[in-house]
Amino acid sequence: ARERERERETGESVSPMKCVQKSFRLPSKKRGTIREQAHDGRRGLRLSCASSSTQAAFTCTQTSFTLKAKARGCHLVTGTIEEQLSPLLKGVSCGMCNVFLQHTSASLTINENADPSVRVDMETFLNLVVPEGYSDIPWTHTMEGKDDMPAHCKSSMFGASLNIPVTNGRLALGTWQGIWLCEHRDHATPRSIVCTVTGA
């Protein structure tokens, strides 16, 4: 209605929004430092880019749900999140999905979805980087237990939200990419998630 009113007032024709999405590969690059230039022989990195005009608004839908309490560690939750998102993604050929975790002692990240040992090693890494206890680091926020302040630090390291492109009604994750919920507390509670999908 606003577009038709604008056409009557200005005589300009307002074209509908076009959403364009393109995938491409970056060429393989060498990695390492000047002292050690180890060549990465893979074919390159695949990226997805989305762009649009600004003539009309995207549709915007949102849902919230709760993930069951999980043990401390990194957990693959792609399937659960995709199931909750399925009604929102229908009909969206090009868009973005924001997955937001409403907590400060857990985090979200995208990483390996095939070998579970990657998640085990990631938990080991996090515990080495942010040690517990009061001897190595003089934490002052200790009233909720020795695992609490390190959990806040780990949450900030990975973050509480993810932005994932949507292509033809599906999350445009790579072949080996999965969504992880990283639980940083010894005795966790259920975790609340809010997902927002915009697109056309």
Side-chain angles (χ1 to χ4, degrees), residues 9-142:
E9 292 177 354
T10 64
E12 297 177 358
S13 177
V14 180
S15 59
M17 172 178 280
K18 292 181 179 179
C19 181
V20 180
Q21 194 172 66
K22 181 179 180 181
S23 294
F24 58 94
R25 284 186 180 274
L26 294 177
S28 298
K29 299 289 186 182
K30 290 183 178 181
R31 64 182 184 182
T33 63
I34 296 176
R35 295 180 181 177
E36 182 183 358
Q37 291 289 349
H39 187 271
D40 185 348
R42 292 173 295 179
R43 290 181 295 172
L45 303 175
R46 175 168 288 174
L47 303 180
S48 294
C49 294
S51 63
S52 64
S53 69
T54 56
Q55 295 287 342
F58 277 161
T59 59
C60 183
T61 53
Q62 190 174 83
T63 187
S64 59
F65 54 93
T66 301
L67 296 175
K68 294 180 180 179
K70 297 184 180 297
R72 178 166 162 172
C74 300
H75 305 273
L76 191 63
V77 294
T78 313
T80 302
I81 289 178
E82 286 180 330
E83 182 180 355
Q84 294 289 334
L85 283 173
S86 181
L88 279 65
L89 297 178
K90 287 181 180 178
V92 179
S93 60
C94 174
M96 290 294 294
C97 175
N98 176 267
V99 184
F100 183 76
L101 176 69
Q102 295 181 301
H103 298 275
T104 62
S105 58
S107 59
L108 295 171
T109 191
I110 293 176
N111 214 306
E112 166 80 48
N113 66 4
D115 187 350
S117 67
V118 176
R119 299 195 295 276
V120 174
D121 289 346
M122 188 66 75
E123 174 67 9
T124 300
F125 164 78
L126 289 171
N127 292 333
L128 289 173
V129 172
V130 190
E132 293 182 6
Y134 312 122
S135 57
D136 294 330
I137 299 179
W139 303 114
T140 58
H141 178 71
T142 58

